[in-house]
Amino acid sequence: MTRVTFPYRGTRRQSNVVAPETSSTGVRLGLRGLDKRFGATHVLDAIDLAITPGQFVAIVGRSGCGKSTLLRLVAGLETATDGEIRVDDQPAARHAADTRLMFQDARLLPWKRVVDNVGIGLRGRWQDRAREVLHDVGLADKADAWPAQLSGGQQQRVALARALIHRPRLLLLDEPLGALDALTRLEMQSLIEALWQHHGFTVLLVTHDVPEAVQLADRVVVLEQGGVGLDLAVDLPRPREAATPAVSAVEGRVLDRVLGRSDVPTSTTASATRSRTASAR
Amino acid sequence: MSRHAARYLDRALPWLVPVVVLIAWQAVVELGWVSSRTMPAPTAVGAAAWELARSGQLFDSLAVSTRRAALGFLFGGSAGLALGLIVGLSYWGERLLDSTIQMVRNIPHLAMIPLVILWFGIDETAKVFLVAIGTAFPIYLNTFHGIRNIDRNLMEMARSYGLSGTALFREVILPGAMPSILVGVRYSLGLMWLTLIVAETIAASDGIGYLAMNARQFLQTDVVVVTILLYALLGKLADEAARFLERRWLSWHPAYRKSEVMA
Ligand SMILES: Nc1ncnc2c1ncn2[C@@H]1O[C@H](COP(=O)(O)OP(=O)(O)OP(=O)(O)O)[C@@H](O)[C@H]1O
Ligand SMILES: [Mg+2]
């Protein structure tokens, strides 16, 4: 299968892109002994994860295994029962402004036009910047529409623009593509990958879709029974083409683990013949 | 039949029944089947309206009644809105006030007319007070309901984007509750006229209700019918005002938007 060409970024001048601030590269994220219970349900059990700046990490796992909970903890929307979350070796709360969560549903305010949705929570003169990020996600012409007039995929792109305008250093994506059709999904995947490569933020992507995880991530983490079941570095060059033998091999290993078909050691590296420097960043 | 003619027919169709009724009404009175004392003919009603307008009585009464309605709605509506916001937004407000308000709400406000007359006599305050009580509760209930039904997910999103306090209220809570608040406004406007009609009919020395009761004493059925039509007209105007607000403030809402062409 050939890669779908990405329609949004081709003709734009570099200066138009929302420029990353000087220090706006990704954060280092550390989870130490992270524990979360809801009453009697023990959702996360002493999770340890160290994520390097700018890394793209995909989190997969069965429904109800605690993926959203993990993301909401990192975003500060839930409080941990135990353990800590450190961003750049500081308590995560200090970096709340650097962290943006993109929810599974777009969560646009229906009473604000698209451009005003992008500018939510901003002060000063943000209108021009909001139009620029909308341009980045391919929605320049919808800036003055109402959210109800957009398709689901367009609404998701507005939500992405809304997160990006804050120049996040940590982007948390909770199944942002779950509700999209296959073609729109491919477009959005390319968009997210391109924006990540350009801005260099750290990404935590929760997904149900193992091929999507392998396509996008530097590292795939499988959550199971409240812990890390598999932590697999995906050392394949980008752009990755779907269904090549190397990609399929990694997908197979992740799937086996998710489905509980084999006992892969929990921390491994899946490397292609080419070295990591060949990857796009 | 051409498409043009079809369009005109379509426009005219809703008016067919009223026009037929008017003609039939006129005919029935002219033929003497119904006494004009029981039901004056449309032409007689028109003549009475003209006479009232010429003498200035019509507009004086209109002004007096509209003022009462507006003042009562202003006081009652603001109180309802304020209480709805307080109870909707604060836990303590709800614990402290909601059950009291719910109890008071169950008193039919028109049942208070004798008490209100004892308190205020039959002057302005009595009527404004009754209208205020009548209009406060629908707005209270719908404001409270609107705030409580705001999408939790949107609130969470807004908070995670740093909104809190007045900004959260202005950008999320108030617009989110607005459809419900306007339902309350519309309902209140209906009750506003209803309350005023009853209050003016029972105790007043001017206003439309007084005009009607006075005409009744002199058996001027045509004037009575004019006043009824006046109330209908005012009710319609209030309803149009509410619809105007809906179109203006809920233009984002697909259900209220007139087709709008996007660039
Ligand atoms: N607020 C809450 N109160 C009680 N239990 C909760 C709460 N939020 C989540 N849970 C429980 O925690 C567990 C994990 O939920 P979570 O939403 O993190 O799952 P998930 O991995 O994101 O699932 P999915 O893939 O279906 O989105 C579930 O068993 C859920 O019932
Ligand atoms: Mg989830």
Side-chain angles (χ1 to χ4, degrees):
Chain A
M1 192 173 84
T2 52
R3 191 180 176 78
V4 173
T5 47
F6 176 54
Y8 307 128
R9 301 182 56 84
T11 57
R12 38 178 313 110
R13 298 193 321 276
Q14 204 58 8
S15 62
N16 248 355
V17 176
V18 174
E21 279 167 355
T22 40
S23 66
S24 159
T25 44
V27 297
R28 174 186 312 282
L29 178 65
L31 312 181
R32 292 192 202 146
L34 193 64
D35 218 274
K36 179 66 186 176
R37 295 166 196 263
F38 290 106
T41 353
H42 201 171
V43 181
L44 298 178
D45 185 4
I47 301 261
D48 288 300
L49 266 184
I51 294 168
T52 56
Q55 199 168 36
F56 196 131
V57 179
I59 299 172
V60 295
R62 287 170 174 274
S63 178
C65 70
K67 305 182 294 295
S68 297
T69 306
L70 179 67
L71 239 56
R72 294 171 55 80
L73 280 166
V74 175
L77 297 176
E78 304 270 2
T79 39
T81 314
D82 201 5
E84 60 172 351
I85 301 168
R86 296 186 71 84
V87 173
D88 281 349
D89 302 314
Q90 289 171 317
R94 278 223 208 125
H95 289 269
D98 291 329
T99 305
R100 287 295 158 213
L101 171 61
M102 193 177 154
F103 301 92
Q104 175 164 9
D105 42 343
R107 299 199 187 178
L108 304 181
L109 297 175
W111 46 84
K112 282 179 176 287
R113 293 187 185 269
V114 163
V115 61
D116 298 320
N117 262 289
V118 174
I120 186 173
L122 293 176
R123 289 157 203 271
R125 300 166 58 80
W126 48 263
Q127 271 81 2
D128 290 345
R129 238 169 6 108
R131 285 175 196 275
E132 280 172 27
V133 268
L134 278 172
H135 191 281
D136 285 346
V137 299
L139 286 178
D141 56 331
K142 296 289 184 193
D144 297 307
W146 297 110
Q149 295 169 318
L150 302 187
S151 73
Q154 290 171 331
Q155 293 184 8
Q156 280 296 351
R157 281 188 268 153
V158 176
L160 184 60
R162 178 177 64 190
L164 291 176
I165 197 172
H166 292 262
R167 294 167 177 155
R169 300 177 56 210
L170 173 58
L171 188 59
L172 308 170
L173 306 170
D174 192 354
E175 293 180 47
L177 316 182
L180 305 182
D181 68 273
L183 282 175
T184 318
R185 248 177 120 92
L186 285 176
E187 282 182 4
M188 280 288 282
Q189 285 169 4
S190 315
L191 175 60
I192 288 172
E193 187 177 38
L195 289 167
W196 167 68
Q197 288 176 334
H198 180 82
H199 293 280
F201 36 64
T202 307
V203 180
L204 271 187
L205 167 74
V206 164
T207 177
H208 272 136
D209 184 8
V210 171
E212 177 173 291
V214 175
Q215 172 88 25
L216 291 174
D218 294 326
R219 180 176 172 192
V220 177
V221 172
V222 177
L223 275 191
E224 59 182 30
Q225 285 149 23
V228 175
L230 174 69
D231 186 347
L232 186 70
V234 185
D235 219 350
L236 299 173
R238 295 172 192 265
R240 294 174 186 156
E241 285 182 23
T244 56
V247 167
S248 300
V250 181
E251 282 173 15
R253 292 178 64 182
V254 176
L255 264 177
D256 282 349
R257 184 71 205 193
V258 173
L259 299 173
R261 280 200 297 237
S262 72
D263 288 311
V264 193
T266 52
S267 186
T268 51
T269 300
S271 30
T273 43
R274 294 169 62 187
S275 78
R276 170 121 174 81
T277 48
S279 67
R281 291 185 61 248
Chain B
M1 191 164 55
S2 76
R3 278 183 50 207
H4 216 64
R7 185 125 43 87
Y8 275 113
L9 186 68
D10 192 50
R11 287 260 184 78
L13 216 50
W15 295 97
L16 183 66
V17 173
V19 167
V20 167
V21 167
L22 274 182
I23 292 172
W25 175 6
Q26 183 82 31
V28 161
V29 179
E30 300 262 325
L31 290 172
W33 293 355
V34 172
S35 127
S36 67
R37 180 142 302 164
T38 313
M39 198 61 200
T43 48
V45 173
W50 174 248
E51 190 51 41
L52 285 171
R54 225 170 43 87
S55 72
Q57 246 183 313
L58 182 75
F59 301 108
D60 291 347
S61 305
L62 254 180
V64 167
S65 293
T66 307
R67 198 184 93 93
R68 284 172 186 152
L71 271 180
F73 178 73
L74 198 72
F75 289 129
S78 325
L81 184 68
L83 282 174
L85 292 178
I86 292 169
V87 174
L89 290 173
S90 105
Y91 171 80
W92 290 110
E94 181 178 4
R95 301 298 299 159
L96 190 65
L97 294 174
D98 188 50
S99 56
T100 309
I101 295 175
Q102 295 295 344
M103 276 189 280
V104 176
R105 183 175 78 88
N106 282 315
I107 304 171
H109 67 291
L110 293 178
M112 293 184 62
I113 288 179
L115 194 59
V116 169
I117 292 177
L118 279 178
W119 287 347
F120 303 110
I122 59 161
D123 75 347
E124 283 312 282
T125 325
K127 272 144 294 202
V128 172
F129 183 80
L130 274 173
V131 172
I133 296 193
T135 52
F137 291 110
I139 294 191
Y140 165 77
L141 283 177
N142 284 287
T143 304
F144 176 61
H145 181 259
I147 289 179
R148 280 304 152 93
N149 282 300
I150 290 175
D151 188 345
R152 299 285 107 193
N153 290 339
L154 286 183
M155 294 282 278
E156 186 182 73
M157 182 282 297
R159 286 215 176 86
S160 83
Y161 276 85
L163 293 190
S164 61
T166 43
L168 187 68
F169 176 75
R170 199 182 52 238
E171 311 215 0
V172 184
I173 298 174
L174 191 61
M178 194 51 82
S180 180
I181 294 177
L182 287 182
V183 168
V185 165
R186 207 156 165 185
Y187 201 85
S188 276
L189 287 174
L191 272 180
M192 170 182 86
W193 287 117
L194 187 73
T195 310
L196 193 70
I197 292 167
V198 175
E200 283 189 339
T201 308
I202 291 172
S205 52
D206 51 7
I208 301 173
Y210 172 76
L211 197 63
M213 291 318 283
N214 210 33
R216 181 192 61 97
Q217 284 189 342
F218 295 105
L219 299 178
Q220 297 169 310
T221 322
D222 46 1
V223 175
V224 173
V225 174
V226 170
T227 61
I228 292 172
L229 293 178
L230 271 184
Y231 276 129
L233 190 72
L234 288 173
K236 178 76 183 155
L237 278 181
D239 204 50
E240 281 301 319
R243 281 155 70 100
F244 172 77
L245 288 184
E246 281 174 354
R247 274 202 300 274
R248 203 182 154 79
W249 288 345
L250 305 181
S251 53
W252 53 271
H253 202 298
Y256 296 99
R257 187 171 44 234
K258 285 185 164 176
S259 61
E260 179 187 1
V261 183
M262 296 308 306

